[in-house]
Structure formats: C-alpha cells, structure tokens
Amino acid sequence: MMVTVGTSLLGFIIATVTLLFAITASEKFLLLRESKSYADLSKASNGSIFWLVAMSAVGATLLFIDNATFGQHAAMLSGIMIFIAIQASAGTAALTWLIAKVLSIA
C-alpha cells in the first residue's frame, strides 16, 4: 500500500511542481522569482519529491523481500517506513500549502 500511495503522490507532486514553475515563469511573478523565498520553494519541491521517491523505493524493496529475512529487525524496518511516510506526508502538505499560496496570487 505504501508503494501505491507513494507513487500516486509522486506523480501528483511532479505534475504540480511542473505547473507551478510554468506559472511562475510569467511576468506577474517576477517579484517572486527575484525573492530569496523562491529558492525555498524549489527546496520544498525537491524535498517532497525526494521523500516520496524514498517511500516508493523502500516500499517496493520490502515487497520483494521475505518477512522471515528481517527477523529481529522487522520492528526497526517498520519504524524506518513510518519515519519516511511522515517525512513524505509533511513535505507534500508543505508543498501543497505553498502552491495554494502562490496560485492565490495569480
């Protein structure tokens, strides 16, 4: 399930980031592009994409590995997946909020 959610959100974020940077290329957003906050928008985009790729990759890897292989490390791997899922969710939420703010300017 983590793989499905992660890849679905990854597709959504990539499409949204593409749209966002296409919109901000217009003259209306010259002030935004010249501000130091524009770099933060790019960092938020890259961070969100990174964590969603990590969630998808780790989830897909865990699908193909037998549970017996994990043995005593199963709880640790579950914790890692939960951490990655939280990071991906927080990054996606932050990026969605930023995009909503930018689009409200338009």
Side-chain angles (χ1 to χ4, degrees):
M1 178 151 160
M2 292 289 257
V3 176
T4 306
V5 171
T7 51
S8 296
L9 285 174
L10 181 61
F12 166 74
I13 292 299
I14 289 173
T16 305
V17 168
T18 303
L19 176 68
L20 175 68
F21 286 109
I23 288 173
T24 57
S26 74
E27 288 300 316
K28 287 166 114 180
F29 291 98
L30 181 63
L31 182 63
L32 175 66
R33 285 194 315 269
E34 292 176 348
S35 74
K36 61 182 177 181
S37 297
Y38 192 68
D40 294 336
L41 184 61
S42 179
K43 287 178 190 175
S45 302
N46 292 339
S48 181
I49 290 171
F50 170 80
W51 286 110
L52 288 169
V53 167
M55 184 169 80
S56 300
V58 171
T61 302
L62 293 177
L63 280 176
F64 294 108
I65 297 174
D66 185 25
N67 286 339
T69 306
F70 299 134
Q72 64 186 14
H73 301 294
M76 181 181 72
L77 290 173
S78 295
I80 290 171
M81 278 305 291
I82 290 170
F83 173 77
I84 291 173
I86 290 170
Q87 290 293 331
S89 299
T92 303
L95 186 59
T96 303
W97 181 81
L98 283 170
I99 289 169
K101 291 297 180 185
V102 168
L103 292 178
S104 69
I105 294 171

